[in-house]
């Protein structure tokens, strides 16, 4: 492989970490591999320990299998970039197929001392630390292939200087994975977010299957410093292609132009025909919609996996429909004296105001205060002399409203007030408001805001009277 | 609720109760869609209580709920179009039946003829419905669609003819509207049963 000559092939003699010890924890393996690889260049044992501890501190154990394998794949790429430093990864993660590839390349086990005892204890992803280290590492990575002139010593020392740089990259890749349900820009198909998407899918197998080639991961490594930033951006960006493209791909040569349609870039090793591309786009859209649904359906945040989500959604829709049925049954049985003529009112705030009033005021105290307020309103608007109810001590009518009434509205109000006997049963025919048709839209109602509020409230007041009496 | 949020109403000149203003503010905070929903449903409800006999009220109220939901959602949504189409078909079928009944009543035709007319009309409608149902058997056009999507298609109105991707979209909107409708109805029940 090309990177063989990077460090003079001395890494072939590196003793890979003990695979047996690391089989249990893929992350540990990877971390160990990285640490070993980094340290394998003849560095001090202490340096290696430091690296391992730093790595372990950065790698999250929660993403055991999925992240691990994926990280192994990513580390693959790092290996190619840093000339076998990551090769230890491949040797370390003996379980994963990609690493086996590396294992075949680096056949001789690393005989670095004491790497078996990997202190992969508590693995915490430190975002900022990882980010800055990823930046440094990406600088190294970028400089890696281009600057083959880097001597072995230089590279190893620089890598030594960045003990957790490798882990930073690993952690960085783990960052999106640990984000869990955070959603990246769905319509954007870039290599870095592509990696994140796959990690979010939660199946390492698919991730590995989708990105088997180191070439693509090479590009992802370059994007890694932006990846941390990308995360925050993508968490909010839904379809904002240009924004993401401009910011994330700032330093990437392959930056996609701002667009209003979906750019899909085929990953290396994947079929590039339109069908698979469209398929991938479709899958992205579907997962985006599933995320939306997850927010809608209560209690679905912990659920992962499309099948379970779908079941939850179906159950929720069914339960809501059953609730509608039940409530309609209750409404049919409820007091049928709901006789207020809604046809007279416009679909504006009025009804909702009324309802919200009724709902906000709790049942125990509702009616008196509400009728009081209704009485106030109606008396004010319509110059109701009989606003003071015997049952309800109405406050003195406030001064006439300052808002001007439209010309027809006094007629309407007056007419409606004419037909109203506050004490009478509402079943008396409400005067038909001839010149006043329900348009069914709220545009006409914009004129009538105040006035018809009063009308409605007055009408509902009648209804309430009726319901009380 | 999605979409338009109106500004809070202009300050009420009347020194009315705080409850009224709070109610106004709350109402204004809701979108116009909720207002439309309330308007349509309340209107239908009052009409139903006036007109419909008691035994058929539940069904009618339920249908009115869905219709008001669809009307509030607007014609932009596939599920609302499907719902309104169903309502229209139902009304047409009933109109045909009524017409036939009237005809048979006006012209003293044999009861079999009237019954036959009704059956014919019903048969026409059911055949149309059967055709619609048969079209549901159309194979899912997408490979990535899970088998459970079939149940979802049955639940969401108009879900038969949709692709899986748009089905999820419509489901989300349908869920939002359903939730608003349930809240409205629950509020009404509380309102009317508080005596």
């Amino acid at each position: 492989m090309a990177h063989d000559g990077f460090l003079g092939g001395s890494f072939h003699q590196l003793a890979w970490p003990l695979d047996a010890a690391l089989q249990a924890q893929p992350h540990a393996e990877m971390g160990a591999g990285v640490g070993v690889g980094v340290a394998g260049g003849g560095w001090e044992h202490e340096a290696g320990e430091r690296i391992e501890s730093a790595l372990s501190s950065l790698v999250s154990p929660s993403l055991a299998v999925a992240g691990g394998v994926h990280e192994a794949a990513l580390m693959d790429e790092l290996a190619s970039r840093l000339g076998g430093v990551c090769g230890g990864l491949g040797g370390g993660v003996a379980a994963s197929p990609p690493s086996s590839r590396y294992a075949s390349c680096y056949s001789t086990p690393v005989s670095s001392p004491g790497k078996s005892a990997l202190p992969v204890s508590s693995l915490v992803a430190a975002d900022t630390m990882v980010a800055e280290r990823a930046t440094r590492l990406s600088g190294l990575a970028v400089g890696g292939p281009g600057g083959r002139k880097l001597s072995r010593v230089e590279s190893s020392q620089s890598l030594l200087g960045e003990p957790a740089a490798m882990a930073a990259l690993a952690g960085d890749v783990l960052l999106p994975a640990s984000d869990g349900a955070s959603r990246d820009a769905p319509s954007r198909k870039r290599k870095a977010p592509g990696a994140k998407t796959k990690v979010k899918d939660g199946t390492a197998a698919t991730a590995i299957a989708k990105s088997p080639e180191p070439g693509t991961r090479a590009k992802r490594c370059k994007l890694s410093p932006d990846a941390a930033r990308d995360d925050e951006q993508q968490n909010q960006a839904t379809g904002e292609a240009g924004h993401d493209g401009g910011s994330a791909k700032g330093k990437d040569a392959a930056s996609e132009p701002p667009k209003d349609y979906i750019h899909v870039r085929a990953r290396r090793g994947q079929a590039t025909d339109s069908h698979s591309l469209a398929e991938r786009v479709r899958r992205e859209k579907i997962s985006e919609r599933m995320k939306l649904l997850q927010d809608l359906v209560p209690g679905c945040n912990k659920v992962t996996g499309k099948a379970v989500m779908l079941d939850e959604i179906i159950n929720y829709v069914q339960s809501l429909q059953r609730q509608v049925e039940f409530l309609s049954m209750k409404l049919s049985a409820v007091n049928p004296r709901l006789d207020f003529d809604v046809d007279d009112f416009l679909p504006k705030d009025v009804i909702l105001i009324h309802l919200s009033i009724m709902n906000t005021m709790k049942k125990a105290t509702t009616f008196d205060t509400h009728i009081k307020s209704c009485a106030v309103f109606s008396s004010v608007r319509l110059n109701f002399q009989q606003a003071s109810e015997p049952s309800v001590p109405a406050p003195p009518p406030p001064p006439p409203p300052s808002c001007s009434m439209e010309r027809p509205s006094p007629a309407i109000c007056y007419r409606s007030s004419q037909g109203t006997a506050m004490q009478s049963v509402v079943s008396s025919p409400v005067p038909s408001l001839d010149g006043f048709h329900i348009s069914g839209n709220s545009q006409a109602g914009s004129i009538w805001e105040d006035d018809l509020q009063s009308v409605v409230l007055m009408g509902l007041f009648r209804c309430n009277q009726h319901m009380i009496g | 609720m999605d979409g338009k949020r109106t500004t809070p109403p202009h300050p009420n000149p009347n020194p009315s109760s705080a409850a009224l203003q709070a109610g106004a503010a709350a109402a204004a905070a809701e979108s116009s869609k909720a207002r439309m929903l309330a308007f349509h449903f309340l209107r239908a409800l009052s009409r139903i209580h006036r007109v419909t006999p008691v035994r058929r009220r539940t069904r009618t109220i339920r249908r009115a709920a869905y219709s008001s939901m669809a009307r509030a959602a607007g014609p932009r949504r596939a599920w609302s179009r499907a719902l309104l189409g169903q309502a229209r078909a139902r009304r047409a079928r009933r109109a045909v039946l009524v017409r036939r009944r009237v005809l048979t009543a006006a012209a003293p035709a044999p009861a079999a003829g009237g019954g036959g007319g009704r059956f014919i009309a019903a048969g026409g409608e059911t055949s149309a419905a059967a055709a619609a149902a048969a079209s549901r058997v159309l194979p899912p056009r997408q490979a990535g669609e899970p088998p459970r999507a079939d149940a979802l298609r049955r639940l969401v109105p108009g879900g038969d003819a949709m692709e899986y991707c748009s089905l999820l979209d419509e489901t989300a909107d349908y869920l939002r509207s359903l939730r608003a409708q349930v809240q409205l109805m629950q509020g009404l029940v509380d309102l009317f049963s508080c005596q």
Side-chain angles (χ1 to χ4, degrees):
Chain A
M1 297 172 91
H3 58 267
D4 275 0
F6 186 41
L7 289 168
S10 64
F11 277 75
H12 288 276
Q13 284 79 39
L14 293 180
W16 299 128
L18 321 131
D19 304 354
L22 305 172
Q23 294 279 351
Q25 286 197 355
H27 276 274
E29 291 168 10
M30 178 184 54
V34 170
V36 167
V38 166
W43 296 328
E44 307 263 59
H45 172 67
E46 294 79 23
E49 300 278 17
R50 189 157 43 92
I51 291 166
E52 286 155 11
S53 52
L55 282 174
S56 57
S57 73
L58 282 174
V59 174
S60 164
S62 59
L63 319 161
V65 177
V69 185
H70 179 70
E71 305 330 316
L74 198 70
M75 288 328 214
D76 247 356
E77 169 47 29
L78 284 176
S80 69
R81 286 300 164 202
L82 299 164
V85 174
C86 307
L89 255 191
V93 193
S96 55
S99 53
S100 61
R101 194 157 40 90
Y102 286 91
S104 62
C105 297
Y106 304 95
S107 47
T108 61
V110 177
S111 58
S112 52
K115 294 304 177 290
S116 56
L118 263 192
V120 184
S121 51
S122 61
L123 311 179
V124 175
D127 291 9
T128 53
M129 207 171 34
V130 165
E132 67 195 21
R133 281 180 186 145
T135 317
R136 279 177 286 179
L137 182 58
S138 72
L140 289 174
V142 170
R148 300 270 162 144
K149 312 171 185 62
L150 269 183
S151 70
R152 251 173 293 143
V153 177
E154 277 181 17
S155 61
S156 50
Q157 278 179 357
S158 57
L159 281 171
L160 181 55
E162 311 288 330
M166 303 286 302
L169 198 56
D172 194 298
V173 177
L174 290 170
L175 256 186
S178 59
D179 278 346
S182 63
R183 195 62 215 152
D184 58 352
S187 62
R188 291 298 306 271
K189 304 285 289 182
R190 283 169 298 144
K191 293 155 287 243
K196 290 182 204 148
T197 313
K198 286 176 291 205
V199 173
K200 278 170 188 148
D201 277 347
T203 55
T206 50
I208 295 303
K210 287 181 186 183
S211 60
E213 302 304 319
T216 58
R217 284 191 295 278
K219 298 173 197 150
R220 248 180 269 129
C221 281
K222 283 192 204 157
L223 294 173
S224 59
D226 307 318
R229 269 178 295 148
D230 278 354
D231 254 277
E232 292 82 40
Q233 290 164 359
Q234 285 161 0
N235 286 347
Q236 296 109 25
T238 48
E240 286 228 286
H243 165 69
D244 283 345
S247 56
K249 299 243 179 172
K251 48 195 285 191
D252 193 6
S255 60
E256 304 172 48
K259 49 193 161 281
D260 39 68
Y261 55 96
I262 298 173
H263 269 277
V264 180
R265 188 162 312 220
R267 272 169 276 277
R268 191 177 147 187
Q270 274 181 302
T272 54
D273 58 338
S274 57
H275 293 299
S276 54
L277 282 182
E279 267 297 312
R280 223 169 329 127
V281 168
R282 211 187 120 257
R283 254 174 279 140
E284 287 288 316
K285 278 207 291 188
I286 285 180
S287 42
E288 169 206 356
R289 306 275 166 86
M290 291 292 288
K291 288 294 178 184
L292 282 178
L293 280 169
Q294 207 171 25
D295 297 332
L296 269 182
V297 179
C300 250
N301 305 323
K302 325 160 196 75
V303 172
T304 47
K306 282 192 248 177
V308 191
M309 261 303 302
L310 205 54
D311 285 347
E312 283 295 316
I313 291 168
I314 289 173
N315 286 338
Y316 190 54
V317 172
Q318 273 172 346
S319 78
L320 280 182
Q321 285 179 342
R322 258 181 270 130
Q323 255 184 305
V324 168
E325 175 90 30
F326 173 68
L327 285 173
S328 71
M329 190 172 54
K330 280 189 97 175
L331 274 178
S332 74
V334 89
N335 190 349
R337 292 181 290 181
L338 177 58
D339 265 344
F340 66 96
D341 202 346
V342 193
D343 291 328
D344 299 339
F345 312 134
L346 277 188
K348 267 304 268 186
D349 321 47
V350 288
I351 295 168
L352 218 51
I353 285 177
H354 181 73
L355 279 181
S356 54
I357 290 172
M358 298 300 248
N359 287 336
T360 50
M361 304 194 292
K362 275 315 150 194
K363 306 173 186 167
T365 64
T366 172
F367 262 70
D368 276 351
T369 40
H370 176 62
I371 287 173
K372 224 178 296 182
S373 57
C374 277
V376 164
F377 232 63
S378 55
S379 66
V380 165
R381 297 309 191 133
L382 309 171
N383 295 327
F384 245 11
Q385 302 316 316
Q386 63 262 37
S388 57
E389 288 301 329
S391 55
V392 179
S402 54
C403 54
S404 60
M405 292 174 122
E406 295 288 328
R407 230 172 296 113
S409 66
I412 291 171
C413 298
Y414 186 62
R415 234 179 293 159
S416 57
S417 72
Q418 270 181 340
T420 301
M422 297 301 258
Q423 295 86 355
S424 71
V425 172
V426 168
S427 52
S428 64
V430 177
S432 64
L433 309 172
D434 314 298
F436 182 20
H437 302 284
I438 296 297
S439 54
N441 57 0
S442 32
Q443 285 151 9
S446 55
I447 317 173
W448 311 96
E449 197 142 1
D450 277 16
D451 317 318
L452 289 176
Q453 283 182 15
S454 65
V455 172
V456 170
L457 286 173
M458 189 256 327
L460 291 169
F461 179 24
R462 279 185 321 219
C463 163
N464 296 337
Q465 275 301 93
H466 177 63
M467 285 198 283
I468 293 179
Chain B
M1 277 305 185
D2 54 352
K4 313 168 268 184
R5 304 211 151 243
T6 60
T7 59
H10 52 274
N12 201 328
N14 306 311
S16 51
S17 62
L20 194 56
Q21 282 174 349
E30 310 226 25
S31 73
S32 62
K33 195 164 142 187
R35 269 179 257 129
M36 293 296 298
L37 188 69
F39 168 71
H40 285 295
F41 186 61
L42 285 172
R43 183 165 64 161
L45 201 60
S46 63
R47 186 171 46 88
I48 287 171
H49 275 300
R50 247 194 337 246
V51 171
T52 318
V54 188
R55 49 188 174 82
R56 283 190 19 200
R57 238 182 237 162
T58 306
R59 250 180 302 155
T60 321
I61 290 183
R62 188 191 71 226
R63 290 198 204 117
Y66 284 119
S67 296
S68 67
M69 215 168 68
R71 214 162 276 135
R76 245 173 286 123
R77 283 288 169 184
W79 65 265
S80 66
R81 287 195 296 264
L83 267 180
L84 292 177
Q86 285 174 17
R88 206 176 305 133
R90 205 180 304 125
R91 272 201 301 272
R93 173 177 34 172
R94 202 162 300 152
V96 170
L97 290 180
V98 166
R99 215 175 303 130
R100 292 215 178 249
R101 224 174 284 131
V102 165
L103 284 179
T104 55
R118 238 171 308 165
F119 291 148
I120 288 172
E125 281 306 316
T126 48
S127 65
S135 69
R136 184 193 302 154
V137 191
L138 69 89
R141 319 166 191 178
Q142 45 277 354
E145 169 182 327
R148 281 293 257 159
D150 210 23
L152 196 56
R153 285 176 188 271
R154 256 175 281 135
L155 282 177
V156 175
D160 298 335
M162 280 191 267
E163 298 190 334
Y164 186 58
C165 199
S166 41
L167 177 70
L168 291 181
D169 205 18
E170 297 289 323
T171 306
D173 199 66
Y174 186 60
L175 270 183
R176 268 182 241 127
S177 287
L178 255 187
R179 215 189 319 181
Q181 177 74 38
V182 165
Q183 280 171 3
L184 173 68
M185 291 173 81
Q186 185 70 50
L188 281 176
V189 166
D190 293 342
L191 177 65
F192 294 140
S193 65
C194 67
Q195 298 129 33

